[in-house]
Amino acid sequence: MTIDPRARIGHVHLTVADLERALRFYRDVLGFEVTATYGRDAVFLSAGGYHHHIGLNTWAGRGAPAPAPGTTGLYHFAVLYPDRRALATAVRRVVAAGVPLEGAADHGVSEAVYLRDPDGNGVELYRDRPEAEWPRGSDGRVEMHTRALDVEKLLAEAE
């Protein structure tokens, strides 16, 4: 039995310590739009008018500590951009906001930039290459890799 191939990851919901601080990152830096709020404890954000791609809440308690490094939990979630220029524009905003980049990789099938939100959650900003460009082995299987991504060259493509 396999999952229906039309299935997608619909949204991510994160516990944060400070809702306003998280909003400054997801709304003001990444550019997501607020679609709904639940009092002063939760907010939902989206791209393009969808009901929500990201939920943020303080239900575990305002000021809750971040999980210790090296423990189980969220490694990262990924925001998929439609093309290289849109990815470059997003990364330029992140850099301009002073958010440090943790890495940048060319995976053959995609180009990705990695960073952390204010609560320490891993965030990947990426774009997929067209499927026809994906590297494949002689058996036709996808052969992903991790090579350095030239961030300066990417940023040169920003709007």
Side-chain angles (χ1 to χ4, degrees), residues 93-100:
R93 287 179 62 166
V94 165
V95 170
V99 177

Side-chain angles (χ1 to χ4, degrees), residues 20 28 47 49-50 89 93 104 126 130 151-152 156:
E20 285 304 315
D28 303 343
Y50 188 64
T89 301
R93 287 179 62 166
Y126 79 108
V151 176
E152 292 302 319

Side-chain angles (χ1 to χ4, degrees), residues 119-154:
D119 289 281
N121 294 305
V123 180
E124 174 185 348
L125 308 179
Y126 79 108
R127 70 103 183 180
D128 277 335
R129 285 194 168 89
E131 191 173 346
E133 296 177 16
W134 293 358
R136 297 187 181 272
S138 59
D139 61 358
R141 290 185 127 163
V142 173
E143 291 188 347
M144 290 178 60
H145 54 258
T146 300
R147 297 182 181 143
L149 176 66
D150 185 337
V151 176
E152 292 302 319
K153 188 173 177 182
L154 175 67

Side-chain angles (χ1 to χ4, degrees), residues 46-96:
S46 82
Y50 188 64
H51 55 79
H52 74 288
H53 289 104
I54 298 173
L56 305 170
N57 77 70
T58 57
W59 298 327
R62 293 186 185 279
T71 58
T72 59
L74 178 71
Y75 182 68
H76 73 245
F77 72 90
V79 179
L80 175 61
Y81 290 86
D83 54 41
R84 196 164 203 264
R85 174 175 275 172
L87 172 62
T89 301
V91 173
R92 181 175 297 270
R93 287 179 62 166
V94 165
V95 170

